[in-house]
Amino acid sequence: MDSPAPIPVSAPPLVSTVADRVFDQLRRAIVEGDIPAGSKLSEPVLAERFAVSRGPLREAMRRLESTHLLERRANVGARVVALTRERLMELYEVREALEGMAARLAAERMSVAGVAALQAMLEQHRGEIERECGQAYFQQEGDPDFHYRIVVGSGNQRLIRILCDDLYHLARMYRCQFGMKSERARDALKEHALVVDAIAERDGELAEWLMRRHVRASRKGVERRLADDGR
Amino acid sequence: MDSPAPIPVSAPPLVSTVADRVFDQLRRAIVEGDIPAGSKLSEPVLAERFAVSRGPLREAMRRLESTHLLERRANVGARVVALTRERLMELYEVREALEGMAARLAAERMSVAGVAALQAMLEQHRGEIERECGQAYFQQEGDPDFHYRIVVGSGNQRLIRILCDDLYHLARMYRCQFGMKSERARDALKEHALVVDAIAERDGELAEWLMRRHVRASRKGVERRLADDGR
DNA sequence: ATGCAATGGATTGTCAACAATCTGCTTCAA
DNA sequence: TTGAAGCAGATTGTTGACAATCCATTGCAT
């Protein structure tokens, strides 16, 4: 049984270079809204803020750009991506396709130990949601955990990189900045359980179908919230 | 009716910087096998080869890494990705999911003009395949054209970037280096026609299903070829 | 002969200065 | 008053030199 500790998404670099540190710090600052979305990033001021020269900083920014958190134009500068309703919907569409496939592959290939760990995690989440009759913890921690495990369980390295290295950070950025806490916790947990069951039964087709429906349901929940807020 | 000229995948940068040029040249050299897969890239020798300093070169390499054509390790160096049968299959799995979704979205959203252009392109391909009773042209030019159009027609910016900026270049690398010329040209054309019909009928569900089957069929064709070659 | 430690060479990471480019403001003419 | 052309300031792109790190070879001890 695995610990509920944060899952190492992409293997952290064996040796940490200055650019790596700056990359992590900058990403967190952007994702958590410390640096507001849409704002312009000046290389000199950032270099001073992180106490590094422009070389490693530019490398970090380049990597942020490759994860689509930054947009650069030559001789003009870099801006943090703008969070729009449209982009969020696009993100959900891609996630639906990719995570559906991940669930299918996980059902076909995940080790029995992996499936057991998945079921254990689900049980733990069930306990937590019961205990604090709460929605807060689940959507903020449990849901990403669930999705990570499925994706990693697919065994498809490319799938893992696209989702864990890029899309999930962006998804977290939306959660942080739009302040979404789902009231869908109980429904989501039920949907998770169905997906896990399908994986345990090695029914790839059903697992994919259920996962896609789960992602669509999440999207609709978000859509409703945004409509209420009048974004 | 559009010209059969090469489709501009991602908008070429308005101003071309040195790093941009090196990026394009390096990518082409890697994709076309001019620089063999798995080989190590030395910064000094490449800098001399392209007659630039290490700064822009490193930026270009960083971008190649973000497209997963290069792998870097700190203080060790960069290597061109190794082309393995396993990675190729992973690529097809991701493409199946993503292009299936693209076909669905294209069916729902593509403009009538876009659909007309798609049909015209198909007709042109049909003529070409008839004329040279040939498979060469089609798989090397026509098939990518077809997939590009569908993806762009989805209107999902993120989908477009993932597929056109990253995956398609890698797919082309496999084609170039494994020297695949499909004997599947006629079958593929038929499959394309079915997808286009579904899009024209605005039947997203069917379009997705057909596109996924088409990608799977391509994968199987490649698998068979690789088995024959004993890779 | 085998395993381990130290050293030399090369490669990459980092830094600060220089050059090219863009943006916004000022100025001038219609 | 409006529009375009030119200039100033700042920002980014590029360069070459310096420092830190790793890999392979060599030598030695077991």
Side-chain angles (χ1 to χ4, degrees), chain A residues 68-148:
Chain A
H68 304 276
L69 256 48
L70 243 58
E71 286 172 350
R72 302 181 69 186
R73 271 176 48 199
N75 293 309
V76 173
R79 309 188 75 87
V80 179
V81 292
L83 266 38
T84 69
R85 186 183 159 289
E86 187 184 7
R87 300 283 168 217
L88 182 56
M89 293 306 121
E90 291 183 350
L91 183 60
Y92 270 105
E93 286 167 358
V94 173
R95 280 187 58 191
E96 180 186 331
L98 251 23
E99 297 201 31
M101 177 60 77
R104 173 187 289 265
L105 297 178
E108 294 170 358
R109 303 174 186 169
M110 211 171 186
S111 69
V112 291
V115 174
L118 196 61
Q119 291 171 317
M121 183 201 67
L122 193 72
E123 203 51 51
Q124 184 187 335
H125 288 169
R126 191 170 278 135
E128 279 155 1
I129 206 174
E130 205 65 44
R131 181 150 40 79
E132 18 181 329
C133 78
Q135 54 271 28
Y137 174 88
F138 182 65
Q139 191 68 354
Q140 299 229 349
E141 298 296 330
D143 191 60
D145 269 13
F146 170 77
H147 289 273
Y148 275 130

Side-chain angles (χ1 to χ4, degrees), chain B residues 33-181:
Chain B
D34 197 6
I35 298 177
S39 63
K40 191 171 179 306
L41 296 184
S42 163
E43 292 183 5
V45 311
L46 279 180
E48 202 215 0
R49 166 170 174 176
F50 290 113
V52 295
S53 91
R54 278 179 53 212
L57 177 75
R58 281 174 65 89
E59 171 135 350
M61 290 175 70
R62 169 64 60 191
R63 288 168 65 179
L64 264 314
E65 186 193 11
S66 83
T67 66
H68 305 277
L69 256 50
L70 243 59
E71 287 172 351
R72 301 182 70 186
R73 271 175 48 197
N75 291 312
V76 172
R79 307 188 77 86
V80 179
V81 291
L83 265 38
T84 69
R85 187 184 159 287
E86 186 183 7
R87 300 282 169 220
L88 182 57
M89 293 306 122
E90 290 183 350
L91 183 61
Y92 271 105
E93 285 167 358
V94 173
R95 281 186 58 190
E96 179 186 333
L98 252 22
E99 297 201 31
M101 176 61 76
R104 173 186 289 265
L105 297 178
E108 294 170 357
R109 302 175 186 166
M110 214 172 184
S111 70
V112 290
V115 173
L118 197 60
Q119 291 171 318
M121 183 200 68
L122 194 71
E123 203 51 48
Q124 184 186 334
H125 287 169
R126 190 170 281 136
E128 279 155 1
I129 206 174
E130 205 64 43
R131 177 152 40 81
E132 15 182 331
C133 80
Q135 54 271 29
Y137 174 88
F138 182 66
Q139 190 69 355
Q140 298 228 352
E141 298 296 328
D143 191 61
D145 269 14
F146 170 77
H147 289 274
Y148 275 130
R149 297 239 189 193
I150 306 280
V151 170
V152 172
S154 77
N156 184 317
Q157 294 301 317
R158 182 157 298 272
L159 205 51
I160 294 171
R161 290 176 81 164
I162 294 176
L163 281 168
C164 297
D165 289 353
D166 295 0
L167 301 191
Y168 283 167
H169 290 289
L170 197 69
R172 200 160 79 87
M173 183 171 170
Y174 274 99
R175 266 204 309 279
C176 286
Q177 303 207 15
F178 282 2
M180 300 177 191
K181 49 186 191 308

Side-chain angles (χ1 to χ4, degrees), chain B residues 178-183 219-231:
Chain B
F178 282 2
M180 300 177 191
K181 49 186 191 308
S182 164
E183 304 96 12
R219 192 199 68 198
K220 280 173 191 150
V222 169
E223 241 171 346
R224 197 163 43 76
R225 274 187 58 83
L226 290 185
D228 291 349
D229 290 5
R231 287 262 188 195

Side-chain angles (χ1 to χ4, degrees), chain B residues 22-40:
Chain B
V22 175
F23 172 70
D24 283 334
Q25 293 181 14
L26 239 184
R27 180 168 63 181
R28 215 179 58 178
I30 290 174
V31 166
E32 298 181 359
D34 197 6
I35 298 177
S39 63
K40 191 171 179 306

Side-chain angles (χ1 to χ4, degrees), chain A residues 31-90:
Chain A
V31 166
E32 298 182 358
D34 196 8
I35 298 176
S39 62
K40 189 173 180 305
L41 296 184
S42 164
E43 292 183 4
V45 312
L46 278 181
E48 202 215 0
R49 167 170 172 177
F50 290 114
V52 295
S53 94
R54 278 179 54 212
L57 177 75
R58 279 174 66 89
E59 170 136 351
M61 290 175 70
R62 170 65 61 193
R63 289 168 63 178
L64 264 314
E65 186 192 10
S66 83
T67 66
H68 304 276
L69 256 48
L70 243 58
E71 286 172 350
R72 302 181 69 186
R73 271 176 48 199
N75 293 309
V76 173
R79 309 188 75 87
V80 179
V81 292
L83 266 38
T84 69
R85 186 183 159 289
E86 187 184 7
R87 300 283 168 217
L88 182 56
M89 293 306 121
E90 291 183 350

